[in-house]
Amino acid sequence: MCKSNDTMKLLKLLFLILTISCTKSNSSTNPDKYSNYYNINSGNKSCENTFQFGKANLCIPKIEGMYNIINNIESKDYIQSKNFPGNTFVAYYVNKKLYKNLQVLWEDQFDDFFQIYVTNHNENKDVDISYFTEVNKNYLENYLNSDKWETLKKRLENINENNVFEKPILIENYSLSKNSMQYVTLVTIKKKNTSKNMITIGNMFIVQNRLFFSSYNKFYQNSNSIEEAKKRNNELMLKIIDNNK
């Protein structure tokens, strides 16, 4: 099991990657150390490909209505620019509308996208469901309700010029399965005279004793938006969970 300081690092990385993903990055392209960990010919009809992370072999499923652009020539540079140091993207799904117009990836903020990623230092670290108890306690009692947010806010705004991030609001936390935890947050991102509210559903899940992260992101438009985001996230996560039993 990870120690408490490792848990807090994971939570910081979780929120950094969720929030940075919906804003324009100034980071330069970095090579992906895990580029050789993909197996395109997975041998499983349900898997688009697989990703080896330590001793875990994650099935990356085909998802109806979404496109995984992680290895797409038109989007690889963009995705690498979003790769926060210490993390590696495993999959990056967008909807059909965005897939047909990938050049808009470089514009500020878009919604209805889903990511799977890992923190690299966990590659050879065993975790089990008892780990979620520690994470949940730190997340709910310490992280969002402390001055740690101010430090993270500065880091976010240094990375994302001209964007102002308000403190995320935790809407709900729940569990889809014994090997996963879900957190629904709402964050306001301001730029010049515009303001957007982003719903982010962050997921932590365990496959073969390795910890993976994912997130589904959607703009808040009306009172139905949160339930719509949860429904879509749950569909995506259950697809991953079912294909990795």
Side-chain angles (χ1 to χ4, degrees):
M1 183 183 297
C2 299
K3 296 179 181 179
S4 295
N5 59 341
D6 288 332
T7 304
M8 295 311 296
K9 288 178 182 177
L10 288 174
L11 290 173
K12 288 181 180 180
L13 284 170
L14 174 65
F15 266 98
L16 279 167
I17 203 72
L18 302 189
T19 318
I20 291 170
S21 296
C22 53
T23 56
K24 188 174 181 179
S25 172
N26 295 313
S27 303
S28 59
T29 301
N30 295 311
D32 184 355
K33 66 167 284 192
Y34 289 98
S35 60
N36 295 324
Y37 284 35
Y38 289 95
N39 179 9
I40 304 301
N41 300 312
S42 66
N44 185 330
K45 290 189 297 183
S46 299
C47 300
E48 180 179 68
N49 52 52
T50 59
F51 184 84
Q52 191 75 33
F53 188 56
K55 65 182 181 182
N57 193 36
L58 182 74
C59 165
I60 304 170
K62 300 171 185 176
I63 295 176
E64 185 176 355
M66 299 197 88
Y67 299 81
N68 183 10
I69 60 172
I70 191 77
N71 293 312
N72 190 298
I73 294 175
E74 294 181 71
S75 54
K76 284 183 74 173
D77 286 350
Y78 171 82
I79 291 170
Q80 286 298 333
S81 78
K82 298 294 185 181
N83 192 17
F84 190 79
N87 282 13
T88 295
F89 279 116
V90 175
Y92 202 108
Y93 293 92
V94 298
N95 60 27
K96 185 175 182 179
K97 180 180 179 181
L98 185 57
Y99 183 71
K100 288 186 173 182
N101 191 25
L102 286 177
Q103 61 265 32
V104 304
L105 282 170
W106 293 96
E107 297 178 6
D108 245 358
Q109 302 182 12
F110 56 94
D111 70 338
D112 190 26
F113 65 102
F114 182 75
Q115 312 156 332
I116 306 172
Y117 54 98
V118 293
T119 57
N120 300 340
H121 74 270
N122 282 337
E123 182 178 5
N124 296 309
K125 186 174 293 184
D126 284 326
V127 296
D128 57 32
I129 58 175
S130 64
Y131 172 71
F132 288 142
T133 302
E134 180 182 359
V135 171
N136 199 51
K137 184 172 188 269
N138 276 287
Y139 184 92
L140 297 176
E141 295 181 6
N142 300 328
Y143 185 66
L144 287 181
N145 298 315
S146 73
D147 58 3
K148 290 183 175 64
W149 165 247
E150 291 304 317
T151 301
L152 180 54
K153 174 181 170 70
K154 290 176 183 177
R155 292 180 67 186
L156 285 169
E157 292 175 356
N158 283 337
I159 294 171
N160 299 273
E161 292 182 351
N162 304 316
N163 289 280
V164 176
F165 295 85
E166 294 189 355
K167 186 176 179 179
I169 299 171
L170 178 64
I171 304 295
E172 182 182 355
N173 69 296
Y174 60 99
S175 179
L176 278 173
S177 70
K178 67 177 183 178
N179 288 326
S180 74
M181 288 292 296
Q182 283 65 46
Y183 297 92
V184 184
T185 59
L186 185 66
V187 60
T188 300
I189 307 170
K190 297 179 179 178
K191 184 174 182 180
K192 295 182 179 178
N193 296 322
T194 64
S195 178
K196 290 281 188 181
N197 293 316
M198 176 70 75
I199 303 164
T200 293
I201 304 180
N203 307 280
M204 292 183 292
F205 61 102
I206 296 171
V207 173
Q208 298 168 22
N209 296 113
R210 289 297 176 269
L211 184 65
F212 292 86
F213 295 96
S214 66
S215 67
Y216 177 72
N217 303 271
K218 179 180 176 62
F219 284 146
Y220 181 91
Q221 296 177 326
N222 54 51
S223 58
N224 295 322
S225 296
I226 292 174
E227 288 305 314
E228 290 170 356
K230 283 176 56 182
K231 179 180 178 181
R232 186 55 174 151
N233 175 79
N234 294 351
E235 290 171 351
L236 298 170
M237 278 305 304
L238 288 173
K239 181 85 170 178
I240 293 168
I241 291 167
D242 288 344
N243 279 276
N244 284 282
K245 288 182 176 178

